[in-house]
Amino acid sequence: QTSPVASSVTADYYVSPTNGNQGEVYTNGTTVLFIKSDGARAFATLISGTTYNIAAWSLQATFSPGKVTFNNGSSWTQTNAPLPTVTFTDTTGVSFKVQMLTSTTFIALGGPLGAIPATRQGDKLVWANGTVWNNFDFNAVNALFQMATGYP
């Protein structure tokens, strides 16, 4: 009896250009696992060429260089690594996740602001819909962006 040779697993990270949600795809040569930003996971089976059936999500996914296109019209664009997320809580106590995109920008992943981006302007966070969050400690805002993005 011989032991089976372990296949190496590769991980590819993606971002949805429409809502900023991230996705992950893990493969070991024969098995493909899709993971959505909400943690939902589903295995896929090869249909033909570069197209896979994700039965649990009633979707088909077609791979092309740097992109996954789904048969429902949505897509994921490949990125270098998973984008960090943090949880924000607004003044009414509503919490929601945001995804850090750069050292000065992020995008809301739902919540009261929907899926819109925001930029840091000094000690303020300015959302694309015109909403401004202010009254932050400048050092606290620096720490938030440095922790989440690793930027100096």
Side-chain angles (χ1 to χ4, degrees):
Q1 181 177 3
T2 61
S3 298
V5 176
S7 299
S8 63
V9 175
T10 61
D12 291 306
Y13 305 101
Y14 296 87
V15 174
S16 167
T18 56
N19 61 19
N21 287 342
Q22 62 186 3
E24 301 172 37
V25 177
Y26 294 89
T27 59
N28 73 351
T30 58
T31 303
V32 177
L33 173 65
F34 285 80
I35 303 176
K36 293 183 192 177
S37 62
D38 65 3
R41 302 162 191 263
F43 286 101
T45 56
L46 181 64
I47 297 173
S48 66
T50 57
T51 302
Y52 290 80
N53 183 47
I54 310 170
W57 297 342
S58 301
L59 286 175
Q60 291 181 359
T62 302
F63 287 84
S64 59
K67 189 173 185 177
V68 177
T69 304
F70 299 95
N71 65 327
N72 66 357
S74 64
S75 65
W76 291 352
T77 302
Q78 194 167 12
T79 186
N80 292 330
L83 298 171
T85 58
V86 294
T87 302
F88 278 12
T89 303
D90 69 13
T91 56
T92 65
V94 174
S95 294
F96 57 97
K97 291 192 181 283
V98 298
Q99 196 167 60
M100 309 305 285
L101 300 175
T102 71
S103 63
T104 59
T105 63
F106 56 85
I107 189 165
L109 303 176
L113 294 168
I116 62 170
T119 40
R120 174 187 178 178
Q121 296 178 7
D123 62 349
K124 295 178 176 68
L125 303 178
V126 180
W127 298 88
N129 68 356
T131 301
V132 176
W133 286 10
N134 55 15
N135 297 326
F136 290 104
D137 175 86
F138 188 77
N139 292 325
V141 175
N142 279 343
L144 168 69
F145 281 95
Q146 287 175 7
M147 276 189 327
T149 62
Y151 290 95

